[in-house]
Amino acid sequence: MPSSKRYTTKDGRVFYKIRCHIDRSRPALSMRWYAPEGWSQKAIDRELAKVAADFECRCKAGEVLSLSERQAQEAAAQAAAAQIKTVKEYAEKVYLPGVKITCSEATRDSYTSMLELHLFPVLGAVKITDVSPAQITALLLKCQENMAHSSIVKLYAIINRLFTTAYLDETIPVNPMWKVQRPKPRKDEKGRDGVAAFTAEELTHILECLEREPLKWQVYVRLLIETGIRRGEGCGLQWECVDLDALTVTICRAAYYTKDAGCYVSTTKNGKSRTVSISSALADLMKRYRAEQAGKHLSKWVFTQEGTAECMFPQSPSRYFANFSRRYGIEDFHPHKLRHSFASIAITNGADIASVSEILGHSDKAVTLRVYSHADEESKRRASQTFLDALAPKKADASGT
């Protein structure tokens, strides 16, 4: 039979410590239950009896462990981890559980897919201590034959993180990734000026084509063009975050999709909210769209699934963009390219890196510099040319005297 005793915290909150003895060979198990404010003692006693009875059932079922039992369980898990032999075993028992704790569900799903598709079929059964730099290099080169450069770099980063984790926890004595070079673009990928982006003229043409599209997609595509937000951030936008008078949109959440979780909404990639500006033309479009949406259904989401008030799936824009691309002959038209276009055009036309980084929601402006270095180089070239142009009249005056 469980026992309970009343206590009070330093800030005046009342709680009850419930103790339960199941077996004399095991220490007593305990839990805290905080009494809701404003409850009468009779109501507290009645609820406390229910909580204590439930706690006793969970103790008898083995669902509750003492501190010493939890420590023993963790030690056993660590001992089991120490017996890990293969790359796949380490990834599934140590690396991916760590990713699940520190990263979003979408990131974990992406990491798992990359490993299952590319690493496990080749090196999954190899002892992790036996993996050589040559084996990893050969794997990456083979994958590079059919993968875009951005994808192969992502795979490299995931594998690098896996083996770095194994080295830091002393599963392996030497990290083979120290001698594996970061993949370079294929010959047919060289010569591309940084990340793919549209020019201002191309975006103008896209906006002209967009006028023939449904109002919902006019708003969505124009929003991505004007703000550079991510595909999922647009899908996760709520009307309460849109200020059409101030011409601002606050980005504080994003929609994601994984096989296990389905469609769900969480924080932005860096976990921070940011406010971006929109044009009066877009604000007018959004007013018309909100009225159109209200005629069909009321929803807190700006962009909804067809025929429902639910948040739009993050895959829906990609399918729409592909169809739009075919209709109007616009090559390589996808949501993230509009993000690249926003950054490239803003930087090459004089916007400072810090401001662009803040608008894009990068965790560090170094990320912006690394991804859009081509645009920054153009800014520096133009700055140098401005300086040279300023000197040109003086040189002419000097030569004429």
Side-chain angles (χ1 to χ4, degrees):
M1 183 74 180
S3 62
S4 60
K5 189 173 181 180
R6 187 178 187 276
Y7 294 89
T8 304
T9 62
K10 291 181 180 180
D11 59 357
R13 292 186 64 193
V14 174
F15 71 92
Y16 291 80
K17 186 173 183 179
I18 304 171
R19 291 169 59 87
C20 185
H21 285 274
I22 301 299
D23 191 328
R24 290 185 178 181
S25 62
R26 296 178 60 194
L29 303 173
S30 63
M31 66 164 287
R32 285 188 178 190
W33 178 73
Y34 286 85
E37 293 184 9
W39 280 28
S40 66
Q41 189 60 48
K42 185 176 180 180
I44 290 174
D45 291 342
R46 186 167 55 247
E47 186 64 23
L48 180 60
K50 294 180 182 178
V51 173
D54 178 68
F55 181 62
E56 183 181 26
C57 289
R58 289 191 292 118
C59 290
K60 289 180 178 179
E63 298 176 5
V64 181
L65 301 176
S66 66
L67 176 60
S68 60
E69 288 171 334
R70 289 197 302 271
Q71 290 174 336
Q73 194 176 70
E74 289 171 3
Q78 291 173 358
Q83 301 301 315
I84 288 172
K85 300 294 184 183
T86 67
V87 172
K88 185 177 181 181
E89 286 175 337
Y90 182 81
E92 292 179 339
K93 295 180 180 179
V94 180
Y95 176 61
L96 288 174
V99 171
K100 185 176 182 179
I101 293 172
T102 58
C103 301
S104 68
E105 177 69 18
T107 299
R108 184 203 62 78
D109 186 69
S110 174
Y111 277 33
T112 302
S113 296
M114 291 289 272
L115 292 175
E116 289 178 346
L117 283 173
H118 305 294
L119 182 66
F120 294 167
V122 180
L123 297 177
V126 178
K127 289 183 179 180
I128 193 167
T129 52
D130 294 343
V131 176
S132 68
Q135 288 175 303
I136 298 173
T137 299
L139 165 67
L140 293 172
L141 288 173
K142 185 65 178 176
C143 292
Q144 196 169 17
E145 294 176 2
N146 302 306
M147 292 174 66
H149 181 61
S150 58
S151 298
I152 200 70
V153 168
K154 180 179 179 179
L155 176 61
Y156 168 85
I158 293 171
I159 295 175
N160 184 46
R161 182 173 172 180
L162 186 154
F163 281 96
T164 298
T165 302
Y167 172 73
L168 292 175
D169 66 19
E170 299 183 349
T171 296
I172 55 176
V174 177
N175 186 352
M177 293 300 295
W178 290 341
K179 296 184 179 181
V180 176
Q181 288 189 333
R182 185 176 185 270
K184 297 178 181 178
R186 298 190 306 266
K187 286 186 295 184
D188 60 326
E189 292 178 310
K190 291 181 179 179
R192 297 182 183 177
D193 186 18
V195 295
F198 292 113
T199 63
E201 292 75 17
E202 289 171 329
L203 286 179
T204 300
H205 174 63
I206 290 170
L207 288 172
E208 290 172 353
C209 296
L210 197 62
E211 292 177 1
R212 289 168 263 175
E213 295 296 302
L215 189 55
K216 167 186 171 179
W217 290 110
Q218 289 187 46
V219 173
Y220 182 86
V221 176
R222 185 153 192 152
L223 180 65
L224 265 60
I225 289 175
E226 291 192 12
T227 63
I229 63 174
R230 299 177 179 91
R231 176 188 67 173
E233 291 173 340
C235 295
L237 183 64
Q238 294 185 354
W239 283 114
E240 66 177 11
C241 297
V242 179
D243 190 331
L244 297 177
D245 294 324
L247 301 180
T248 59
V249 171
T250 299
I251 308 300
C252 56
R253 58 181 67 84
Y256 303 92
Y257 177 86
T258 67
K259 291 183 295 183
D260 295 334
C263 183
Y264 66 98
V265 176
S266 185
T267 59
T268 58
K269 191 172 182 180
N270 68 356
K272 299 178 181 178
S273 63
R274 62 191 191 279
T275 300
V276 295
S277 299
I278 60 173
S279 67
S280 57
L282 177 54
D284 290 340
L285 274 178
M286 295 188 83
K287 289 176 183 177
R288 288 171 50 202
Y289 170 60
R290 184 166 60 182
E292 179 185 276
Q293 185 191 71
K296 299 175 182 178
H297 47 248
L298 295 177
S299 176
K300 64 180 180 180
W301 306 104
V302 175
F303 304 104
T304 59
Q305 299 173 31
E306 200 62 38
T308 77
E310 299 301 316
C311 169
M312 183 165 70
F313 277 71
Q315 288 85 357
S316 298
S318 296
R319 289 192 289 269
Y320 171 78
F321 273 59
N323 292 329
F324 187 97
S325 177
R326 286 190 290 271
R327 279 197 294 275
Y328 300 103
I330 298 172
E331 186 179 353
D332 195 28
F333 187 57
H334 56 81
H336 213 68
K337 191 171 181 178
L338 296 183
R339 182 171 168 82
H340 291 327
S341 304
F342 173 88
S344 297
I345 293 173
I347 294 172
T348 54
N349 283 276
D352 63 278
I353 292 291
S355 297
V356 173
S357 180
E358 180 69 23
I359 293 171
L360 293 176
H362 284 157
S363 56
D364 189 331
K365 67 180 181 180
V367 176
T368 314
L369 279 168
R370 183 171 66 252
V371 176
Y372 303 106
S373 58
H374 66 293
D376 194 45
E377 288 297 325
E378 174 65 14
S379 298
K380 288 188 283 187
R381 186 194 65 75
R382 291 174 59 181
S384 297
Q385 188 60 48
T386 300
F387 173 76
L388 293 174
D389 291 345
L391 288 183
K394 295 182 181 179
K395 287 182 66 179
D397 291 344
S399 63
T401 58

